[in-house]
Amino acid sequence: MATAGGAIRLGLVGIGKIARDQHLPAIAADPRFALVATASRHAHVEGIPAHHDIAELIAAGHALDAVSFCTPPAGRHDIAAQAIAAGLHVMLEKPPAATVSEINDLARQAKAKGVTLFATWHSREAAGVAPARAWLADRRIDAVRVIWKEDIRRWHPGQEWIMTAGGFGVFDPGINALSIVTAILPEPVLLDSARLATPEGRDTPIAASLAMRSGKASVTAEFDFLQTGPQTWDIEVDTDAGTLRLSMGGSILALPGEAPREAPDREYSGLYARFAELIAKGESDVDPRPLELVADAFLSAERETVAPFAF
């Protein structure tokens, strides 16, 4: 479907903070894509044709090749399915859908239609993740610790949907850590237990503690959505060769006996490069493992109600 020798004609659905902060700059910087139209209920991009919803976007005659979705995960299955049915390649912001069954169904639909489906995990594109995976591949893993704490008011100002059913709560950032852990560890990550702290009157947790395992190694994760001051996105992996540390969301890698390696943020440019590659090859990339761990946590968690939260 992508234009031969030309740019992939892209529609962007959902013009919110993540679209403006990350998607729009990445698209503008990649000559393989041309943003030709948007769809959003409340916003638009100056100079780009704007539509109210996906149906209007598809019907408008823009000769689209692909659509990138930046909407909240709740309700995304239906609108992504419309794009797939129209023969468009689809890229999904994380989390890819509200449930595991929804993302699996979208993968089935994309395969049947012969289009690319890319369920993105942007933190896997952080500079330290690929070298961390390579370094850990032939080492014994003894223990893994995840500390992922950030300020919801800073990163999601006024986004009430994130604390409603289907909004994921603290797992919206926490799933980034899970996407890294499932990418870098050589063996599958399985959930043993979870504790979720949900504010009174809200549907999703503001904090969570997970106990997991990968092979014989224990894997623990602490998530907090009320961190003020410096933000914490750290992963430590104890091995038979020392402790590997990923910090700042995976952008800084520290290996035993070496100075920390740091590189600029190119996560979203990496995602769009991967999307273009998948389209060219006629392939999809759908890894539900981080979402499965979140679903397992909701299913099996010990729950507590904490003080009310307001943005």
Side-chain angles (χ1 to χ4, degrees):
M1 185 90 176
T3 55
I8 297 165
R9 295 165 298 210
L10 183 71
L12 187 63
V13 179
I15 310 301
K17 181 174 172 55
I18 193 65
R20 295 192 183 279
D21 289 354
Q22 299 290 353
H23 287 259
L24 290 172
I27 294 165
D30 194 327
R32 288 167 292 193
F33 291 93
L35 180 63
V36 300
T38 66
S40 179
R41 289 177 295 176
H42 305 297
H44 69 279
V45 177
E46 186 175 355
I48 302 295
H51 303 282
H52 179 73
D53 56 29
I54 184 66
E56 186 179 302
L57 175 67
I58 291 170
H62 295 293
L64 293 172
D65 301 308
V67 180
S68 181
F69 287 91
C70 304
T71 56
R76 191 185 291 158
H77 172 271
D78 291 343
I79 59 177
Q82 291 181 57
I84 292 170
L88 301 175
H89 305 295
V90 168
M91 174 169 158
L92 303 172
E93 176 61 70
K94 65 84 194 169
T99 67
V100 176
S101 57
E102 284 185 350
I103 189 56
N104 288 339
D105 181 62
L106 289 177
R108 178 193 60 79
Q109 292 186 42
K111 183 178 181 180
K113 194 68 177 180
V115 298
T116 290
L117 178 64
F118 183 23
T120 70
W121 300 108
H122 68 81
S123 289
R124 288 182 175 176
E125 298 294 329
V129 173
R133 178 172 59 247
W135 191 84
L136 292 170
D138 57 358
R139 288 177 168 82
R140 187 189 72 231
I141 311 298
D142 294 326
V144 182
R145 295 174 297 280
V146 177
I147 306 294
W148 216 261
K149 299 182 177 183
E150 65 178 57
D151 185 353
I152 184 176
R153 296 181 178 93
R154 175 178 173 183
W155 301 103
H156 299 276
Q159 295 181 11
E160 293 283 347
W161 63 265
I162 210 166
M163 295 303 296
T164 63
F168 284 73
V170 76
F171 286 111
D172 184 83
I175 205 169
N176 292 331
L178 298 177
S179 75
I180 294 175
V181 168
T182 51
I184 66 175
L185 295 183
E187 297 191 63
V189 181
L190 307 176
L191 183 80
D192 289 326
S193 64
R195 290 178 58 88
L196 308 183
T198 302
E200 182 181 345
R202 298 287 187 170
D203 299 312
T204 55
I206 202 77
S209 300
L210 306 185
M212 299 168 283
R213 67 188 187 279
S214 178
K216 296 182 178 180
S218 66
V219 182
T220 61
E222 295 292 332
F223 301 144
D224 187 356
F225 227 169
L226 295 176
Q227 173 101 328
T228 57
Q231 308 288 276
T232 306
W233 304 293
D234 296 339
I235 298 172
E236 295 184 339
V237 184
D238 295 338
T239 78
D240 56 343
T243 298
L244 174 151
R245 292 179 175 85
L246 283 167
S247 56
M248 293 305 296
S251 64
I252 302 174
L253 171 64
L255 297 175
E258 297 184 15
R261 309 177 192 175
E262 186 172 3
D265 175 11
R266 295 193 176 94
E267 293 180 10
Y268 280 83
S269 61
L271 291 180
Y272 277 95
R274 175 67 173 153
F275 191 31
E277 176 185 288
L278 290 168
I279 292 172
K281 292 181 177 179
E283 298 175 353
S284 290
D285 183 349
V286 180
D287 181 1
R289 291 177 294 167
L291 186 60
E292 290 171 348
L293 287 170
V294 173
D296 288 349
F298 275 105
L299 180 67
S300 62
E302 178 182 343
R303 292 174 168 81
E304 64 174 320
T305 301
V306 296
F309 164 79
F311 282 92

PDB file of all heavy atoms in Angstrom, residues 165-185:
ATOM      1  N   ALA A 165     -11.795   3.467  34.335  1.00  0.00           N
ATOM      2  CA  ALA A 165     -11.720   2.087  33.870  1.00  0.00           C
ATOM      3  C   ALA A 165     -11.181   2.062  32.446  1.00  0.00           C
ATOM      4  O   ALA A 165     -11.653   2.790  31.576  1.00  0.00           O
ATOM      5  CB  ALA A 165     -13.092   1.438  33.933  1.00  0.00           C
ATOM      6  N   GLY A 166     -10.169   1.230  32.200  1.00  0.00           N
ATOM      7  CA  GLY A 166      -9.538   1.165  30.890  1.00  0.00           C
ATOM      8  C   GLY A 166      -8.406   2.143  30.709  1.00  0.00           C
ATOM      9  O   GLY A 166      -7.730   2.129  29.683  1.00  0.00           O
ATOM     10  N   GLY A 167      -8.176   2.992  31.720  1.00  0.00           N
ATOM     11  CA  GLY A 167      -7.141   4.011  31.602  1.00  0.00           C
ATOM     12  C   GLY A 167      -5.778   3.614  32.126  1.00  0.00           C
ATOM     13  O   GLY A 167      -4.822   4.359  31.987  1.00  0.00           O
ATOM     14  N   PHE A 168      -5.674   2.486  32.823  1.00  0.00           N
ATOM     15  CA  PHE A 168      -4.423   1.885  33.283  1.00  0.00           C
ATOM     16  C   PHE A 168      -3.830   2.517  34.537  1.00  0.00           C
ATOM     17  O   PHE A 168      -3.047   1.879  35.218  1.00  0.00           O
ATOM     18  CB  PHE A 168      -3.361   1.881  32.176  1.00  0.00           C
ATOM     19  CG  PHE A 168      -3.580   0.824  31.134  1.00  0.00           C
ATOM     20  CD1 PHE A 168      -4.595   0.944  30.196  1.00  0.00           C
ATOM     21  CD2 PHE A 168      -2.769  -0.292  31.091  1.00  0.00           C
ATOM     22  CE1 PHE A 168      -4.804  -0.029  29.234  1.00  0.00           C
ATOM     23  CE2 PHE A 168      -2.964  -1.274  30.123  1.00  0.00           C
ATOM     24  CZ  PHE A 168      -3.992  -1.138  29.194  1.00  0.00           C
ATOM     25  N   GLY A 169      -4.136   3.771  34.868  1.00  0.00           N
ATOM     26  CA  GLY A 169      -3.550   4.368  36.056  1.00  0.00           C
ATOM     27  C   GLY A 169      -2.034   4.336  36.001  1.00  0.00           C
ATOM     28  O   GLY A 169      -1.423   4.655  34.979  1.00  0.00           O
ATOM     29  N   VAL A 170      -1.412   3.915  37.117  1.00  0.00           N
ATOM     30  CA  VAL A 170       0.054   3.913  37.183  1.00  0.00           C
ATOM     31  C   VAL A 170       0.686   2.935  36.193  1.00  0.00           C
ATOM     32  O   VAL A 170       1.868   3.041  35.881  1.00  0.00           O
ATOM     33  CB  VAL A 170       0.515   3.598  38.625  1.00  0.00           C
ATOM     34  CG1 VAL A 170       0.356   2.107  38.939  1.00  0.00           C
ATOM     35  CG2 VAL A 170       1.954   4.042  38.853  1.00  0.00           C
ATOM     36  N   PHE A 171      -0.099   2.026  35.666  1.00  0.00           N
ATOM     37  CA  PHE A 171       0.448   1.113  34.664  1.00  0.00           C
ATOM     38  C   PHE A 171       0.622   1.780  33.305  1.00  0.00           C
ATOM     39  O   PHE A 171       1.258   1.196  32.422  1.00  0.00           O
ATOM     40  CB  PHE A 171      -0.428  -0.132  34.530  1.00  0.00           C
ATOM     41  CG  PHE A 171      -0.289  -1.095  35.673  1.00  0.00           C
ATOM     42  CD1 PHE A 171      -1.330  -1.288  36.558  1.00  0.00           C
ATOM     43  CD2 PHE A 171       0.894  -1.784  35.870  1.00  0.00           C
ATOM     44  CE1 PHE A 171      -1.205  -2.166  37.622  1.00  0.00           C
ATOM     45  CE2 PHE A 171       1.040  -2.669  36.930  1.00  0.00           C
ATOM     46  CZ  PHE A 171      -0.020  -2.861  37.813  1.00  0.00           C
ATOM     47  N   ASP A 172       0.080   2.980  33.115  1.00  0.00           N
ATOM     48  CA  ASP A 172       0.357   3.679  31.863  1.00  0.00           C
ATOM     49  C   ASP A 172       1.854   3.962  31.732  1.00  0.00           C
ATOM     50  O   ASP A 172       2.445   3.644  30.697  1.00  0.00           O
ATOM     51  CB  ASP A 172      -0.463   4.968  31.764  1.00  0.00           C
ATOM     52  CG  ASP A 172      -0.274   5.666  30.427  1.00  0.00           C
ATOM     53  OD1 ASP A 172      -0.940   5.277  29.458  1.00  0.00           O
ATOM     54  OD2 ASP A 172       0.556   6.595  30.351  1.00  0.00           O
ATOM     55  N   PRO A 173       2.514   4.516  32.767  1.00  0.00           N
ATOM     56  CA  PRO A 173       3.982   4.568  32.706  1.00  0.00           C
ATOM     57  C   PRO A 173       4.636   3.236  33.059  1.00  0.00           C
ATOM     58  O   PRO A 173       5.672   2.869  32.495  1.00  0.00           O
ATOM     59  CB  PRO A 173       4.349   5.655  33.718  1.00  0.00           C
ATOM     60  CG  PRO A 173       3.224   5.645  34.699  1.00  0.00           C
ATOM     61  CD  PRO A 173       1.993   5.312  33.897  1.00  0.00           C
ATOM     62  N   GLY A 174       4.048   2.500  34.002  1.00  0.00           N
ATOM     63  CA  GLY A 174       4.666   1.261  34.447  1.00  0.00           C
ATOM     64  C   GLY A 174       4.841   0.234  33.345  1.00  0.00           C
ATOM     65  O   GLY A 174       5.799  -0.550  33.357  1.00  0.00           O
ATOM     66  N   ILE A 175       3.930   0.257  32.381  1.00  0.00           N
ATOM     67  CA  ILE A 175       4.035  -0.715  31.285  1.00  0.00           C
ATOM     68  C   ILE A 175       5.276  -0.449  30.442  1.00  0.00           C
ATOM     69  O   ILE A 175       5.787  -1.357  29.776  1.00  0.00           O
ATOM     70  CB  ILE A 175       2.745  -0.699  30.431  1.00  0.00           C
ATOM     71  CG1 ILE A 175       2.556  -2.041  29.719  1.00  0.00           C
ATOM     72  CG2 ILE A 175       2.732   0.472  29.446  1.00  0.00           C
ATOM     73  CD1 ILE A 175       1.188  -2.206  29.075  1.00  0.00           C
ATOM     74  N   ASN A 176       5.796   0.784  30.489  1.00  0.00           N
ATOM     75  CA  ASN A 176       7.064   1.063  29.811  1.00  0.00           C
ATOM     76  C   ASN A 176       8.192   0.235  30.418  1.00  0.00           C
ATOM     77  O   ASN A 176       9.033  -0.329  29.711  1.00  0.00           O
ATOM     78  CB  ASN A 176       7.401   2.549  29.901  1.00  0.00           C
ATOM     79  CG  ASN A 176       6.462   3.411  29.103  1.00  0.00           C
ATOM     80  OD1 ASN A 176       5.906   2.975  28.106  1.00  0.00           O
ATOM     81  ND2 ASN A 176       6.279   4.650  29.544  1.00  0.00           N
ATOM     82  N   ALA A 177       8.230   0.192  31.750  1.00  0.00           N
ATOM     83  CA  ALA A 177       9.245  -0.626  32.419  1.00  0.00           C
ATOM     84  C   ALA A 177       9.071  -2.100  32.067  1.00  0.00           C
ATOM     85  O   ALA A 177      10.048  -2.813  31.804  1.00  0.00           O
ATOM     86  CB  ALA A 177       9.159  -0.426  33.930  1.00  0.00           C
ATOM     87  N   LEU A 178       7.819  -2.560  32.059  1.00  0.00           N
ATOM     88  CA  LEU A 178       7.561  -3.961  31.732  1.00  0.00           C
ATOM     89  C   LEU A 178       7.950  -4.262  30.286  1.00  0.00           C
ATOM     90  O   LEU A 178       8.395  -5.372  29.975  1.00  0.00           O
ATOM     91  CB  LEU A 178       6.092  -4.293  31.973  1.00  0.00           C
ATOM     92  CG  LEU A 178       5.618  -4.147  33.427  1.00  0.00           C
ATOM     93  CD1 LEU A 178       4.128  -4.419  33.530  1.00  0.00           C
ATOM     94  CD2 LEU A 178       6.402  -5.059  34.367  1.00  0.00           C
ATOM     95  N   SER A 179       7.802  -3.277  29.401  1.00  0.00           N
ATOM     96  CA  SER A 179       8.211  -3.507  28.016  1.00  0.00           C
ATOM     97  C   SER A 179       9.728  -3.673  27.915  1.00  0.00           C
ATOM     98  O   SER A 179      10.213  -4.474  27.104  1.00  0.00           O
ATOM     99  CB  SER A 179       7.739  -2.348  27.126  1.00  0.00           C
ATOM    100  OG  SER A 179       8.511  -1.179  27.292  1.00  0.00           O
ATOM    101  N   ILE A 180      10.476  -2.947  28.735  1.00  0.00           N
ATOM    102  CA  ILE A 180      11.931  -3.103  28.728  1.00  0.00           C
ATOM    103  C   ILE A 180      12.338  -4.439  29.332  1.00  0.00           C
ATOM    104  O   ILE A 180      13.157  -5.174  28.768  1.00  0.00           O
ATOM    105  CB  ILE A 180      12.606  -1.943  29.488  1.00  0.00           C
ATOM    106  CG1 ILE A 180      12.390  -0.618  28.753  1.00  0.00           C
ATOM    107  CG2 ILE A 180      14.101  -2.216  29.661  1.00  0.00           C
ATOM    108  CD1 ILE A 180      12.922   0.592  29.501  1.00  0.00           C
ATOM    109  N   VAL A 181      11.765  -4.765  30.488  1.00  0.00           N
ATOM    110  CA  VAL A 181      12.132  -6.000  31.175  1.00  0.00           C
ATOM    111  C   VAL A 181      11.855  -7.219  30.297  1.00  0.00           C
ATOM    112  O   VAL A 181      12.686  -8.140  30.191  1.00  0.00           O
ATOM    113  CB  VAL A 181      11.377  -6.092  32.517  1.00  0.00           C
ATOM    114  CG1 VAL A 181      11.508  -7.486  33.108  1.00  0.00           C
ATOM    115  CG2 VAL A 181      11.910  -5.059  33.503  1.00  0.00           C
ATOM    116  N   THR A 182      10.694  -7.248  29.652  1.00  0.00           N
ATOM    117  CA  THR A 182      10.377  -8.395  28.803  1.00  0.00           C
ATOM    118  C   THR A 182      11.253  -8.439  27.559  1.00  0.00           C
ATOM    119  O   THR A 182      11.419  -9.498  26.947  1.00  0.00           O
ATOM    120  CB  THR A 182       8.899  -8.373  28.378  1.00  0.00           C
ATOM    121  OG1 THR A 182       8.567  -7.087  27.821  1.00  0.00           O
ATOM    122  CG2 THR A 182       7.987  -8.650  29.566  1.00  0.00           C
ATOM    123  N   ALA A 183      11.840  -7.303  27.184  1.00  0.00           N
ATOM    124  CA  ALA A 183      12.724  -7.268  26.018  1.00  0.00           C
ATOM    125  C   ALA A 183      14.149  -7.683  26.339  1.00  0.00           C
ATOM    126  O   ALA A 183      14.823  -8.296  25.500  1.00  0.00           O
ATOM    127  CB  ALA A 183      12.727  -5.869  25.402  1.00  0.00           C
ATOM    128  N   ILE A 184      14.635  -7.356  27.543  1.00  0.00           N
ATOM    129  CA  ILE A 184      16.061  -7.570  27.817  1.00  0.00           C
ATOM    130  C   ILE A 184      16.351  -8.891  28.514  1.00  0.00           C
ATOM    131  O   ILE A 184      17.485  -9.392  28.429  1.00  0.00           O
ATOM    132  CB  ILE A 184      16.661  -6.412  28.641  1.00  0.00           C
ATOM    133  CG1 ILE A 184      16.051  -6.349  30.051  1.00  0.00           C
ATOM    134  CG2 ILE A 184      16.515  -5.094  27.898  1.00  0.00           C
ATOM    135  CD1 ILE A 184      16.701  -5.297  30.952  1.00  0.00           C
ATOM    136  N   LEU A 185      15.371  -9.477  29.200  1.00  0.00           N
ATOM    137  CA  LEU A 185      15.646 -10.713  29.936  1.00  0.00           C
ATOM    138  C   LEU A 185      15.539 -11.918  29.002  1.00  0.00           C
ATOM    139  O   LEU A 185      14.594 -12.018  28.211  1.00  0.00           O
ATOM    140  CB  LEU A 185      14.682 -10.868  31.110  1.00  0.00           C
ATOM    141  CG  LEU A 185      14.809  -9.809  32.212  1.00  0.00           C
ATOM    142  CD1 LEU A 185      13.841 -10.111  33.356  1.00  0.00           C
ATOM    143  CD2 LEU A 185      16.248  -9.709  32.730  1.00  0.00           C
TER     144      LEU A 185
END
